[in-house]
């Protein structure tokens, strides 16, 4: 009887235990699935966050590069502005001085002609020496170059082989070759303009440039780029400063006509 009762009670208990065990398993699976889902979401968020951080770093790098380019451009614009400012002042100063000298010569020549002193007038006009005036312009150009770019000669020599460095004579500021590259550094890159300013032929300018580039430590095609990288001092000392292509070419034109 007791055994019968025990056997009759056992199945419900067993069934209940099985149900509870299954419920626990189900809860464990649900917890595992939820944990897996949360993990996947977190990993996805971390991947997105990492991508965003990488993108932000790339954007910051691009911004920094653009800022650097902008600063470099602003520096070049400022440098160009300062050079033009310096040379514009020199342009008006030189033109004014030149016009005054011509006016004095004209006045004296007219006076001598009216007085019948034709020989004196001829001698006066004969004393006008365009080459001397041109040499004065070149000397002024040399001073401007060395004022704006104090290390110009040393910078040129740093681009040349030791045996081909340019050595200046006593009292000499720039040689003919250096003067060509000085004009280039000042922004006058046209060979025709350089030839006109320095009273050379175009072939002579090409010869000077080719000869010096052949002695350079850098490839010929990069030589003028290196010239443009010569540092500008920004010092406004003695020389009040050409929209570059007006100054010497204007004076040179007038000297050719004298």
């Amino acid at each position: 009887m007791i055994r019968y009762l025990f056997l009759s009670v056992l199945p419900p208990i067993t069934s209940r235990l099985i149900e509870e065990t299954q419920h626990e398993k189900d809860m464990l699976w649900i917890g595992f699935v939820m944990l897996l889902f949360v993990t996947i979401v977190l990993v996805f968020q971390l991947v997105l966050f990492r991508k965003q951080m990488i993108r932000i770093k790339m954007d910051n790098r691009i911004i920094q590069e653009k800022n650097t380019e902008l600063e470099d451009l602003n520096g070049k614009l400022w440098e160009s502005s300062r050079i033009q400012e310096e040379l514009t002042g020199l342009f008006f100063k030189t033109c004014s001085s030149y016009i005054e000298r011509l006016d004095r010569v004209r006045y004296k020549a007219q006076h001598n002609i009216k007085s019948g002193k034709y020989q004196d007038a001829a001698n006066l006009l004969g004393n006008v020496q365009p080459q001397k005036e041109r040499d004065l312009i070149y000397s002024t150009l040399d001073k401007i170059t060395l004022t704006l770019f104090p290390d110009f000669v040393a910078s040129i020599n740093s681009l040349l082989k030791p045996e081909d460095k340019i050595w200046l004579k006593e009292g000499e500021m720039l040689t003919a070759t250096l003067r060509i590259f000085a004009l280039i550094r000042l922004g006058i890159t046209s060979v025709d303009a350089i030839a006109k300013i320095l009273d050379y032929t175009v072939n002579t300018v090409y010869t000077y440039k080719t000869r010096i580039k052949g002695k350079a430590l850098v490839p010929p095609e990069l030589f003028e780029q290196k010239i443009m990288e010569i540092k500008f001092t920004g010092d406004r000392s003695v020389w009040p400063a050409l929209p570059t292509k007006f100054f010497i070419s204007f004076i040179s034109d007038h000297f050719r006509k004298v």
Side-chain angles (χ1 to χ4, degrees), residues 61 92 112 114 127 131 170 216 222:
R61 188 179 300 114
F92 288 111
N112 288 333
K114 290 179 180 179
N127 289 332
Q131 185 58 48
E170 185 177 355
L222 297 179

Side-chain angles (χ1 to χ4, degrees), residues 76 185 198:
K76 289 179 179 179
R185 182 61 186 88
L198 299 179

Side-chain angles (χ1 to χ4, degrees), residues 140-201:
T140 303
L141 171 64
D142 295 350
K143 291 177 182 177
I144 287 246
T145 301
L146 296 178
T147 298
L148 298 177
F149 309 99
D151 299 326
F152 184 77
V153 178
S155 298
I156 293 286
N157 279 331
S158 69
L159 300 174
L160 302 176
K161 301 172 185 176
E163 63 274 16
D164 295 318
K165 293 184 183 298
I166 300 173
W167 302 104
L168 300 173
K169 300 176 182 178
E170 185 177 355
E172 188 177 34
M173 289 182 287
L174 296 180
T175 64
T177 301
L178 290 174
R179 202 169 285 132
I180 289 173
F181 290 103
L183 289 172
I184 291 175
R185 182 61 186 88
L186 289 171
I188 304 174
T189 57
S190 168
V191 174
D192 290 335
I194 293 173
K196 186 177 182 181
I197 291 169
L198 299 179
D199 198 29
Y200 295 155
T201 65

